[in-house]
């Protein structure tokens, strides 16, 4: 079985034992790899009621069968766990060179069980795998940790690690790898609970391809599909994801001042082609993950300070969402999220919520160490982000996100929390895209812009014959059939199973037919578009099954009341609210879900060859 390395590292942190075992062929058959493999571990090998902060919670790092091949952007690693932020499944995806290096060392997945009493890091040098003392790294930030390990072990080692936020169990903590992040859901906090400071890996092998000639031919098609998409290969290639800012703003889907508004009047001060030409203040280098054609990472320096990547979600969260138009303040806040290891989306969204609480009198300067937290106050925003990363002073109130902070503040504070299942909504206003209202509401890990980013279709008008989307979809019609949205979501999840980047598909670039042919050429396992999408559908069904057993139903697949009761004030969505009940009904119908349980009906489980799951869930 090529593509796969047929080896999983199983690390028992309770007793320090390390085992190498063959990849579970049943998980591969049902769920392909990557995120699907990790979800299989949660279902079959973990108590379904396991708490996020408990030794029972399995934390796994899972490559896909294409990870480490020359497929465009075949860099991805899916980190899977139970989320401390949402109490749902956690599935966070990161690029960099870490996943490819893990494959080169000879491993498909790393599975951590139990919890260590003392800080450790996992050392992987091809066949040599050891748990090593990390006491001297504890308390270091992400970049300090990376530099220390590279100086000690060798520059060729690829590192992923947590910063102080993960150590202090911030539910917003992420995992850092070369300024890429497994960002959402608190994966860094699970590492911190288990006392895993870092993983260092070096590999000298390669990923074998079953049919090299077929692969090279299909890969040329994949590259052509990517480069033929003019927006992807134009503005995004040139400016990274920040290229979306002005379009999202003009269309009226850019979250502004905690979604009180949907367009930012001061957008010009945030646009990359206005800012990055100021060579006296900023320097920008292009960085790319393993095998990436696009190079969307734009590493920003502000003077001598290495800020890191300033991408669309980061600038939206720390800028327009907080009403901040100072690029310097946004850059400083982003720097803090990077070094302390916290999710920029949830961090910015939490500060934005706190700003509304402050302006409405629910919190005051006495709750904020004297900070004046009005919308637009970039210096206070950056300072609060710093405090959150370290759980310092007032930062402790907000370090677990806006929903947890609202619980502590009390009163009607929850009315201003823009989250689903406890996870803060990312930078798209769902009043401008009916499909995004569903995507945010029904995402299995909490509000997520990549499961799928469907505004490409209904808001921006893309067509995609490979998924039978041959005519425009209405962004303001919840009652329209959502069969197409089901297909697009599966298409996005396929990338997480294969181990490739979502930017191969975000603008409908690579055909699922091409993805199926790539998988077949690499592995020698013949598959087609239908089977590939079915494996994604099965993975989603399993995630919903786990969530259902953890208490999640239709009531949790809903947006905050702001989107249902308060009309959008600007742009094409002006005057629009979301009809969430109709939206959910149409989506559940398309998926074959029970409309109250929000999981597959029995006949859908049978169609997906998941009768064993159905028996456990529906008994």
């Amino acid at each position: 079985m090529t593509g796969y390395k047929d080896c999983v590292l199983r690390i028992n942190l309770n007793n320090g034992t390390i085992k190498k075992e063959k990849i579970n062929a049943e998980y591969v058959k049902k769920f392909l790899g990557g995120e699907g493999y990790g979800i299989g571990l949660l279902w079959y090998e973990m108590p379904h009621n396991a708490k996020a902060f408990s030794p029972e919670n399995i934390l796994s790092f899972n490559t896909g069968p294409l990870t480490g091949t020359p497929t465009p952007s075949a860099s991805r690693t899916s980190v899977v766990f139970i989320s401390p932020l949402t109490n749902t499944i956690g599935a966070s995806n990161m690029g960099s060179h870490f996943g490819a290096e893990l494959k080169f060392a000879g491993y498909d997945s790393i599975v951590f069980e139990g919890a260590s009493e003392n800080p450790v890091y996992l050392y992987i040098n091809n066949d040599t795998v050891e748990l090593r003392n990390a006491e001297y790294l504890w308390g270091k930030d992400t970049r300090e940790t990376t530099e220390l390990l590279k100086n000690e072990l060798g520059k060729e080692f690829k590192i992923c690690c947590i910063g102080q936020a993960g150590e202090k169990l911030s539910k917003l903590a992420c995992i850092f790898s070369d300024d890429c992040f497994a960002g959402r859901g608190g994966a860094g906090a699970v590492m911190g609970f288990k006392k895993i400071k870092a993983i260092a890996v070096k590999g000298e092998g390669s990923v074998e391809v079953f049919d090299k000639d077929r692969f090279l031919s299909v890969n040329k098609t994949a590259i052509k599909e990517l480069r033929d998409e003019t927006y992807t290969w134009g503005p995004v290639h040139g400016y990274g994801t920040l290229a979306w800012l002005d379009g999202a703003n003009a269309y009226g889907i850019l979250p502004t001042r905690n979604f009180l508004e949907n367009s930012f009047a001061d957008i010009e001060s945030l646009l990359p082609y206005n800012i990055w030409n100021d060579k006296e203040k900023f320097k920008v280098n292009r960085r790319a993950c393993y095998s990436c054609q696009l190079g969307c990472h734009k590493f920003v320096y502000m003077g001598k300070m290495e800020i890191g990547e300033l991408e669309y979600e980061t600038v939206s969260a720390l800028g327009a969402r907080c009403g901040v138009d100072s690029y310097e303040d946004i850059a400083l806040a982003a720097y803090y999220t990077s070094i302390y290891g916290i999710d920029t989306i949830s961090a910015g969204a939490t500060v934005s919520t706190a700003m509304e609480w402050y302006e409405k009198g629910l919190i005051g300067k006495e709750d904020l160490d004297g900070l004046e937290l009005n919308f637009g106050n970039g210096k206070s925003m950056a300072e609060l982000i710093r405090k959150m990363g370290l759980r310092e002073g007032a930062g402790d109130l907000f370090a677990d996100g806006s929903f947890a902070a609202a619980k502590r503040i009390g009163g009607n504070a929850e009315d201003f929390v823009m989250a689903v299942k406890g996870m803060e909504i990312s930078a798209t206003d769902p009043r401008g895209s009916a499909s995004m209202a569903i995507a945010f509401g029904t995402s299995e890990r909490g509000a997520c812009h990549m499961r799928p980013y469907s505004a490409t279709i209904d808001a921006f008008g893309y067509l995609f014959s490979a998924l039978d989307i041959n005519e425009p979809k209405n962004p303001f019609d919840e009652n329209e059939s959502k069969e197409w949205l089901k297909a697009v979501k599966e298409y996005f999840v396929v990338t997480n199973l294969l181990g490739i980047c979502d930017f191969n598909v975000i603008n409908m670039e690579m055909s699922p037919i091409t993805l199926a042919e790539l998988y077949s050429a690499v592995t020698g396992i013949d598959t087609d578009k239908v089977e590939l999408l079915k494996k994604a559908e099965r993975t989603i069904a399993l995630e919903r099954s786990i969530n259902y057993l953890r208490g999640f139903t239709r009531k949790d697949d809903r947006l905050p009341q702001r989107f249902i009761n308060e009309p959008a004030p600007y742009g094409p969505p002006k005057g629009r609210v979301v009809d969430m009940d109709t939206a959910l009904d149409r989506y559940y119908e398309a998926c074959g879900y029970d409309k109250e349980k929000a999981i597959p009906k029995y006949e859908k489980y049978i169609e997906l060859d998941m009768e064993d799951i159905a028996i456990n869930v529906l008994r």
Side-chain angles (χ1 to χ4, degrees):
M1 185 169 60
T2 52
Y4 302 93
K5 303 302 291 188
D6 198 22
C7 191
V8 172
L9 287 174
R10 192 173 290 267
I11 317 298
N12 188 313
L13 294 164
N14 292 332
N15 55 30
T17 59
I18 299 171
K19 294 181 180 178
K20 298 177 183 179
E21 58 189 33
K22 287 187 175 296
I23 196 169
N24 190 305
E26 277 300 303
Y27 298 176
V28 170
K29 179 181 177 182
K30 292 177 178 178
F31 313 114
L32 202 73
E35 180 181 320
Y37 197 89
I39 295 298
L41 289 165
L42 294 188
W43 175 266
Y44 290 105
E45 302 183 29
M46 183 197 75
H48 297 146
N49 62 351
K51 295 183 183 303
F53 290 147
S54 76
E56 292 179 319
N57 190 7
I58 290 176
L59 173 68
S60 62
F61 293 71
N62 307 281
T63 65
L66 299 189
T67 306
T69 71
T71 303
S73 305
S75 62
R76 309 300 285 193
T77 306
S78 286
V79 185
V80 181
F81 52 100
I82 292 297
S83 167
L85 181 66
T86 63
N87 198 36
T88 64
I89 63 99
S92 198
N93 197 280
M94 68 181 181
S96 80
H97 291 251
F98 178 85
E101 198 75 15
L102 185 62
K103 290 282 284 287
F104 299 157
Y107 310 103
D108 297 290
S109 297
I110 306 170
V111 181
F112 289 103
E113 300 171 316
S116 176
E117 290 186 6
N118 302 303
V120 295
Y121 78 89
L122 184 65
Y123 170 88
I124 304 171
N125 186 346
N126 296 295
D127 290 337
T128 302
V129 184
E130 301 170 351
L131 279 174
R132 294 185 171 183
N133 188 320
E135 294 275 5
Y136 71 106
L137 298 172
W138 208 252
K140 303 295 185 185
D141 70 37
T142 57
R143 293 185 184 164
E144 290 171 335
T145 300
T146 300
E147 185 177 1
L148 282 167
L149 285 172
K150 282 182 174 286
N151 287 340
E152 177 184 337
L153 305 176
K155 299 295 184 184
E156 66 274 22
F157 275 81
K158 309 304 179 187
I159 313 296
C160 73
C161 65
I162 58 172
Q164 293 95 322
E167 296 174 1
K168 296 174 184 294
L169 306 189
S170 163
K171 293 179 181 179
L172 307 186
C174 59
I175 299 172
F176 171 99
S177 180
D178 291 335
D179 278 275
C180 295
F181 300 89
R184 311 225 68 196
V190 177
M191 274 186 75
F193 174 83
K194 292 179 177 292
K195 291 289 197 298
I196 308 163
K197 179 63 176 178
I199 305 170
V201 58
K202 183 179 81 169
E204 296 169 354
S206 61
V207 179
E208 187 180 354
V209 171
F210 179 78
D211 188 333
K212 293 180 182 178
D213 290 339
R214 183 184 180 190
F215 172 79
L216 290 173
S217 176
V218 178
N219 206 40
K220 286 181 180 178
T221 300
I223 293 170
K224 185 177 187 302
E225 289 173 344
L226 184 63
R227 294 191 176 201
D228 281 353
E229 208 298 293
T230 55
Y231 194 82
T232 299
W233 202 250
V236 178
H237 181 60
Y239 290 101
T241 59
L242 273 180
W244 267 285
L245 266 177
D246 51 353
N249 194 61
Y251 185 77
I253 58 173
L254 184 67
T256 301
R257 297 180 179 87
N258 200 34
F259 288 99
L260 286 165
E261 301 166 17
N262 59 322
S263 185
F264 189 44
D266 299 313
I267 192 67
E268 288 294 325
S269 62
L270 305 184
L271 299 180
Y273 34 83
N274 290 339
I275 301 300
W276 293 351
N277 290 326
D278 187 347
K279 303 295 185 183
E280 292 185 5
K281 286 186 179 179
F282 301 103
K283 175 186 172 184
V284 182
N285 289 341
R286 181 191 299 275
R287 289 190 177 186
C289 298
Y290 173 82
S291 191
C292 180
Q293 293 280 319
L294 191 58
C296 76
H297 284 237
K298 304 298 184 280
F299 195 91
V300 177
Y301 299 80
M302 186 168 65
K304 294 183 178 180
M305 183 178 288
E306 296 186 6
I307 299 301
E309 186 189 5
L310 290 179
E311 47 87 46
Y312 172 77
E313 289 291 342
T314 298
V315 173
S316 298
L318 302 173
R321 191 156 180 167
C322 292
V324 173
D325 63 359
S326 165
Y327 205 78
E328 289 88 345
D329 291 337
I330 293 167
L332 182 60
Y335 171 75
Y336 291 142
T337 66
S338 182
I339 64 170
Y340 300 135
I342 51 177
D343 171 28
T344 59
I345 299 173
S346 282
T350 297
V351 174
S352 172
T353 305
M355 285 174 161
E356 188 168 4
W357 286 332
Y358 182 82
E359 293 203 344
K360 286 186 164 58
L362 276 72
I363 55 175
K365 291 173 67 174
E366 66 278 7
D367 303 301
L368 298 164
D369 300 336
L371 294 176
E372 295 183 356
L373 205 62
N374 301 91
F375 283 119
N377 191 329
K379 289 182 170 42
S380 289
M381 178 267 293
E383 176 62 9
L384 186 54
I385 294 282
R386 186 192 69 80
K387 289 174 174 287
M388 288 165 62
L390 296 172
R391 279 198 186 272
E392 177 187 296
D396 182 64
L397 174 60
F398 304 103
D400 292 326
S402 55
F403 186 75
K407 290 286 190 185
R408 291 175 63 179
I409 292 167
N412 67 332
E414 284 187 39
D415 293 346
F416 308 100
V417 173
M418 300 296 110
V420 176
K421 303 180 181 75
M423 181 183 283
E424 289 76 12
I425 297 172
S426 46
T428 302
D429 192 313
R431 290 171 291 197
S433 168
S435 69
M436 287 305 296
I438 298 170
F440 284 138
T442 63
S443 172
E444 289 71 30
R445 69 173 187 169
C448 174
H449 58 295
M450 299 302 285
R451 299 178 68 89
Y453 186 73
S454 52
T456 300
I457 301 292
D458 66 350
F460 294 111
Y462 276 64
L463 304 179
F464 197 49
S465 61
L467 292 178
D468 298 320
I469 303 171
N470 298 310
E471 56 187 40
K473 303 300 176 183
N474 188 341
F476 309 136
D477 185 2
E478 287 89 356
N479 200 39
E480 182 183 65
S481 169
K482 294 300 180 283
E483 291 280 351
W484 70 268
L485 178 59
K486 171 183 178 291
V488 171
K489 179 168 182 174
E490 291 161 6
Y491 170 60
F492 269 68
V493 170
V494 162
T495 66
N496 296 343
L497 309 187
L498 291 174
I500 62 175
C501 181
D502 280 341
F503 281 102
N504 289 330
V505 304
I506 194 166
N507 286 333
M508 308 296 120
E509 298 96 339
M510 289 188 194
S511 165
I513 298 168
T514 303
L515 297 181
E517 290 182 353
L518 283 168
Y519 177 77
S520 299
V522 168
T523 64
I525 303 170
D526 281 330
T527 194
D528 58 18
K529 175 183 77 172
V530 173
E531 182 58 30
L532 212 55
L533 294 173
K534 185 175 182 180
K535 283 181 167 60
E537 184 180 13
R538 190 180 289 128
T539 300
I540 295 164
L542 191 60
E543 292 176 341
R544 292 209 144 249
S545 300
I546 294 171
N547 284 352
Y548 177 74
L549 293 180
R550 298 180 68 80
F552 291 86
T553 61
R554 180 191 180 106
K555 71 182 186 307
D556 303 290
D557 281 356
R558 301 188 63 84
L559 295 178
Q561 288 300 305
R562 171 156 290 166
F563 304 109
I564 296 167
N565 297 329
E566 300 177 27
Y570 302 116
K574 184 177 179 179
R576 176 173 149 70
V577 294
V578 174
D579 180 356
M580 200 67 198
D581 283 324
T582 298
L584 289 178
D585 283 347
R586 296 295 84 77
Y587 182 68
Y588 293 156
E589 287 169 5
C591 294
Y593 291 172
D594 181 287
K595 288 185 180 180
E596 295 306 319
K597 295 178 179 178
I599 55 173
K601 296 177 181 178
Y602 179 76
E603 53 267 31
K604 172 58 73 170
Y605 277 119
I606 299 303
E607 178 189 324
L608 293 173
D609 303 316
M610 299 176 73
E611 185 174 8
D612 60 323
I613 310 298
I615 291 170
N616 279 280
V617 173
L618 301 175
R619 61 188 173 189

